Amino acid sequence: MTSSRIPGFYNMTVEERRALLREAFTLTDAETQNLSNADALTVGKADNMIENVIGTYQLPFGLGLNFLINGKEYVVPMAIEEASVVASASHIAKIVREAGGFRTESKERLMIGQIQVVGCPDFQEAKQQILRQKDILMKAADDAYPSIVSRGGGVRDLDVRVLNENDASSYSKMLVMHIYVDTCDAMGANMINTMVESIAPIVEEITKGKVHLRILSNYADRSLATAKCVIPPHLLKTGSFAGEEVRDGVIHAYEFAASDPYRAVTHNKGIMNGIDPVVIATGNDWRAVEAGAHAYAARNGHYGSMTTWSKDEEGNLVGEIELPMSIGTVGGATRVHPLADFSLSVMQIESAEELAQVIVAVGLAQNLGALKALATDGIQKGHMALHSRSVAIAGGATGEMIDVIAKQLVEQQEIRVGKAKELVEQYKQ
């Protein structure tokens, strides 16, 4: 794919879009068929993924366009049911590419395993004993999963904390040990769980306490990905709103979310509107990513915005995001689900680190799309116009009637199911 900029993609038929992708990415017959096959994820395959399977559940599967990240073009698969998200992310990506694109990086890529120890005769002494035997514990953990060591990964560090030491309750006093593992391109949940379970007896012997929980943490604050964009005001001009006016409106909206948790929840939900669809499309655990992101938004004791928006000395709008990304490109559903494998191929992702950077860039774009709409015409104008097709279908429209009814709903500014039913009856007369 020479460019993620595909003018008119929205106006193409589904068949035309697939044909374009087939040529651009030299897709195989099987890959192309998976896009048109409602049973790409067969019931038999699904039955081996989870329990009590009765079928499969589908989501709309679209492409975020126009993304330029660290100088590389990306067409980004997104699986989501909510109208306007893909369009909004693509619109902002087009603006940002004109400003030079997104700049992203990953600071580290270490996942965390936890071991909880209770009943220690002396918690501080137990802590010191673990630290003294740190190298032994790290090697034992590596020995439990030698294949990751052979691939260049493995345990990189270990630390320990004592929680609630002065609490009167014996249930709340505990020692918690962390191991930090380079999981290479895997998310690493099973790997880390194996490691902490294997060294639990050694930890019990060292601490003279009893080990209870031995499990990974989805708060992956040692696996952070960041994205940044810098946008000149003239690129933000919208209708009658000057670029500087839009810029200032975005910053005011951000400050609201940074100050008020009631606003921050909705603000951050909009960010996850961009992140979750990419995580889902690539077969990753969107619940883990969601939980980690929201925890990170409250890391300073106050739940606030996952993004920051400001004005630099030249008057440009500057957006930044930093979030934990517990994702992988191998293992789990990433290579089992046919469309997850397809998604990674289309993005031409080479590592989990690269995927994490793409994901946060999409989240930043989606956030700006929402804030820009709020700062100008309001969120409903664009969202409801795109939502009108779903409303038309809910009102009974089928086939070519869908576009006709959707257009009438927008023109009459009554985008509701009751009105759609009324228009459908009129159309049939």
Side-chain angles (χ1 to χ4, degrees):
M1 194 87 182
T2 57
S3 175
S4 61
R5 180 85 185 99
I6 310 176
F9 194 75
Y10 178 79
N11 292 318
M12 295 179 186
T13 65
V14 173
E15 290 72 21
E16 289 171 338
R17 294 172 194 154
R18 289 173 178 165
L20 187 152
L21 286 177
R22 182 185 178 104
E23 181 178 352
F25 294 102
T26 59
L27 300 179
T28 65
D29 289 341
E31 289 172 323
T32 306
Q33 288 169 4
N34 280 337
L35 289 174
S36 57
N37 185 1
D39 294 321
L41 176 63
T42 65
V43 172
K45 189 170 288 187
D47 195 35
N48 287 316
M49 294 173 70
I50 67 167
E51 306 74 37
N52 301 340
V53 164
I54 59 170
T56 59
Y57 183 95
Q58 294 184 327
L59 286 172
F61 187 56
L63 294 178
L65 303 178
N66 308 320
F67 280 91
L68 182 64
I69 303 171
N70 294 337
K72 180 178 175 179
E73 300 279 354
Y74 289 91
V75 169
V76 185
M78 303 174 72
I80 186 171
E81 85 296 342
E82 185 170 332
S84 80
V85 169
V86 177
S88 176
S90 299
H91 168 66
I92 295 301
K94 181 183 175 184
I95 292 174
V96 175
R97 76 182 286 123
E98 293 181 45
F102 295 93
R103 293 294 166 189
T104 64
E105 64 177 339
S106 295
K107 295 183 177 179
E108 283 184 298
R109 183 163 164 75
L110 299 177
M111 297 299 292
I112 300 169
Q114 294 186 296
I115 294 180
Q116 175 199 32
V117 189
V118 301
C120 298
D122 186 325
F123 281 94
Q124 285 301 326
E125 176 60 21
K127 175 180 178 179
Q128 294 307 315
Q129 287 294 336
I130 285 179
L131 293 175
R132 290 187 190 104
Q133 300 191 53
K134 175 178 177 178
D135 292 342
I136 293 173
L137 288 164
M138 290 172 59
K139 185 179 184 305
D142 277 341
D143 289 345
Y145 217 98
S147 61
I148 191 62
V149 178
S150 66
R151 295 198 297 271
V155 181
R156 296 289 183 258
D157 200 3
L158 177 154
D159 68 16
V160 60
R161 297 171 295 146
V162 177
L163 304 183
N164 310 316
E165 187 172 15
N166 298 320
D167 197 301
S169 170
S170 61
Y171 287 97
S172 62
K173 295 178 184 178
M174 66 190 74
L175 178 148
V176 179
M177 190 187 87
H178 283 191
I179 58 170
Y180 300 96
V181 185
D182 179 350
T183 59
C184 297
D185 287 323
M187 187 271 191
N190 292 331
M191 179 192 312
I192 289 172
N193 290 341
T194 298
M195 286 179 166
V196 291
E197 287 178 4
S198 71
I199 64 174
I202 305 174
V203 173
E204 281 191 334
E205 184 178 345
I206 291 171
T207 61
K208 311 304 181 187
K210 176 165 180 60
V211 168
H212 274 264
L213 270 62
R214 300 142 291 166
I215 191 168
L216 88 159
S217 170
N218 286 128
Y219 187 33
D221 62 350
R222 296 285 295 271
S223 186
L224 299 173
T226 67
K228 180 178 181 179
C229 61
V230 179
I231 308 172
H234 73 271
L235 294 177
L236 296 169
K237 185 179 184 304
T238 304
S240 62
F241 295 88
E244 289 78 8
E245 190 176 3
V246 176
R247 175 200 64 200
D248 293 345
V250 168
I251 295 172
H252 282 306
Y254 152 69
E255 293 290 355
F256 185 7
S259 305
D260 179 22
Y262 289 90
R263 172 60 200 143
V265 168
T266 310
H267 175 97
N268 290 340
K269 185 266 183 185
I271 296 168
M272 302 312 293
N273 272 350
I275 288 174
D276 285 346
V278 188
V279 177
I280 292 169
T282 56
N284 276 285
D285 186 347
W286 61 269
R287 290 132 345 244
V289 172
E290 277 265 3
H294 289 293
Y296 199 68
R299 65 191 180 279
N300 296 320
H302 167 84
Y303 183 81
S305 171
M306 294 175 184
T307 55
T308 61
W309 294 95
S310 61
K311 179 177 68 173
D312 66 15
E313 293 180 356
E314 286 75 40
N316 300 313
L317 178 66
V318 180
E320 298 177 89
I321 186 171
E322 178 182 76
L323 288 176
M325 279 292 127
S326 54
I327 50 89
T329 56
V330 297
T334 55
R335 297 297 181 182
V336 173
H337 196 302
L339 292 182
D341 189 40
F342 170 86
S343 296
L344 293 170
S345 298
V346 165
M347 281 191 284
Q348 300 177 332
I349 292 294
E350 297 180 3
S351 67
E353 184 177 277
E354 181 185 3
L355 176 59
Q357 293 175 36
V358 171
I359 290 170
V360 291
V362 178
L364 186 62
Q366 185 59 31
N367 183 223
L368 179 55
L371 298 186
K372 181 172 175 283
L374 287 168
T376 53
D377 295 324
I379 203 76
Q380 286 297 81
K381 182 179 179 181
H383 176 75
M384 292 306 290
L386 291 170
H387 183 54
S388 62
R389 289 172 56 84
S390 295
V391 174
I393 294 170
T398 58
E400 63 182 19
M401 191 194 313
I402 296 171
D403 286 334
V404 174
I405 301 301
K407 183 179 179 181
Q408 290 178 340
L409 291 170
V410 173
E411 289 174 348
Q412 297 181 29
Q413 298 183 354
E414 286 192 70
I415 305 175
R416 53 186 183 84
V417 175
K419 184 63 177 178
K421 289 180 178 179
E422 178 185 321
L423 292 172
V424 167
E425 289 304 314
Q426 293 174 7
Y427 184 89
K428 291 178 178 178
Q429 291 176 359

